[in-house]
Amino acid sequence: MITGSPQMIWCLPFLILPINTTSRYGSHGAFYRYKNSMGKSLPLFYIYDSYLTSPEAWAHLLTPNGPHSIRNTPYDGVFIALLVEEGHTHDILAAGFDGMYTYFASNGFSFGSSHQNWKAVKNFCDANNLMFIPSVGPGYIDTSIRPWNNHNTRNRVNGKYYETALQAALTVRPEIVSITSFNEWHEGTQIEKAIPKKTPTRLYLDYLPHQPNLYLELTRRWAEHFIKEKEQWLM
């Protein structure tokens, strides 16, 4: 994670911590916390496939008056839902989530992951006191595990795809940008150093003609740019 304000966060596919885990580790300094609009520093959770549970069921937990509400309890947090379809924006609001993220690194794969929709989504979030966290990635190719999904392949173009996504994210002035990577070599979104490697079933390419750390350097550069941009937004 690249710290500072604003922030860019590596995004795992999903993370749901049971209550006993939160009780045990929630106060640990390594447990990431985000300061909400009320000034409270709370654990931040990305909920993958959140739309598979009804907004009514989420509202029981995430709205202040829900019958099983965790708001203002030791288990409160900043809960970020996955935005896939356009209609999910209203569901996320009704469910009591604190915001939404787009996750998929393939531009055009879903309504949420399409850069052209981010401005409208950000406007909706601003109007309803929700966080909008656009997700970016360096490229996408998962045909080694999903041979039928070639139409969602997005070439890296020597870093240009990544930079285009980052620019699109910064254009809507988000508080956080998430990087969908976390070592996902099988889906082609890794940003770690790379050298060519071939197995009986897969071919992993390097970043030639660039250095093995190309995407780490791009991430550092854009994080610095993000911080400078935020300073301008607040002026």
Side-chain angles (χ1 to χ4, degrees):
M1 180 173 62
I2 300 171
T3 58
S5 179
Q7 296 143 18
M8 299 174 73
I9 297 177
W10 276 279
C11 182
L12 284 71
F14 62 90
L15 180 61
I16 300 177
L17 295 181
I19 285 178
N20 63 336
T21 303
T22 305
S23 298
R24 183 172 182 179
Y25 300 110
S27 61
H28 195 281
F31 201 101
Y32 181 74
R33 308 176 80 84
Y34 181 82
K35 184 174 290 187
N36 67 9
S37 58
M38 303 298 292
K40 296 178 64 176
S41 292
L42 298 171
L44 186 147
F45 302 92
Y46 289 91
I47 311 298
Y48 185 74
D49 277 359
S50 51
Y51 57 87
L52 295 180
T53 300
S54 71
E56 293 77 16
W58 282 119
H60 287 177
L61 295 171
L62 300 180
T63 57
N65 297 320
H68 305 292
S69 178
I70 60 174
R71 296 305 191 183
N72 298 312
T73 75
Y75 306 109
D76 201 357
V78 178
F79 298 94
I80 309 298
L82 174 59
L83 172 67
V84 179
E85 300 175 3
E86 184 174 7
H88 290 163
T89 55
H90 295 279
D91 292 341
I92 290 168
L93 176 63
F97 281 100
D98 299 289
M100 59 191 76
Y101 78 116
T102 61
Y103 182 65
F104 300 104
S106 179
N107 181 24
F109 172 70
S110 68
F111 171 85
S113 71
S114 299
H115 302 168
Q116 65 183 19
N117 297 326
W118 287 355
K119 182 178 181 180
V121 176
K122 180 62 160 55
N123 289 341
F124 176 88
C125 289
D126 287 348
N128 291 284
N129 196 31
L130 296 171
M131 294 174 62
F132 174 53
I133 303 178
S135 302
V136 303
Y140 191 83
I141 179 168
D142 67 355
T143 51
S144 62
I145 53 175
R146 301 182 185 92
W148 45 266
N149 201 32
N150 184 62
H151 62 287
N152 282 316
T153 294
R154 300 293 181 268
N155 294 321
R156 290 177 175 250
V157 202
N158 293 322
K160 296 300 182 184
Y161 180 84
Y162 192 39
E163 293 195 274
T164 297
L166 286 161
Q167 182 61 66
L170 266 62
T171 297
V172 301
R173 299 187 174 187
E175 286 295 317
I176 295 175
V177 175
S178 66
I179 303 170
T180 304
S181 172
F182 206 77
N183 207 24
E184 295 276 13
W185 295 86
H186 61 291
E187 293 183 348
T189 65
Q190 82 284 346
I191 61 174
E192 291 80 6
K193 292 182 178 181
I195 58 173
K197 179 178 177 61
K198 187 175 183 180
T199 73
T201 58
R202 297 178 187 174
L203 173 64
Y204 297 102
L205 300 176
D206 57 15
Y207 305 142
L208 286 176
H210 300 282
Q211 296 296 314
N213 63 346
L214 169 65
Y215 290 94
L216 297 178
E217 286 297 320
L218 287 176
T219 302
R220 178 191 57 77
R221 185 188 312 162
W222 277 88
E224 293 173 352
H225 181 51
F226 191 11
I227 292 172
K228 292 178 180 178
E229 286 282 298
K230 182 64 179 294
E231 291 172 351
Q232 293 297 315
W233 303 341
L234 296 176
M235 288 181 64

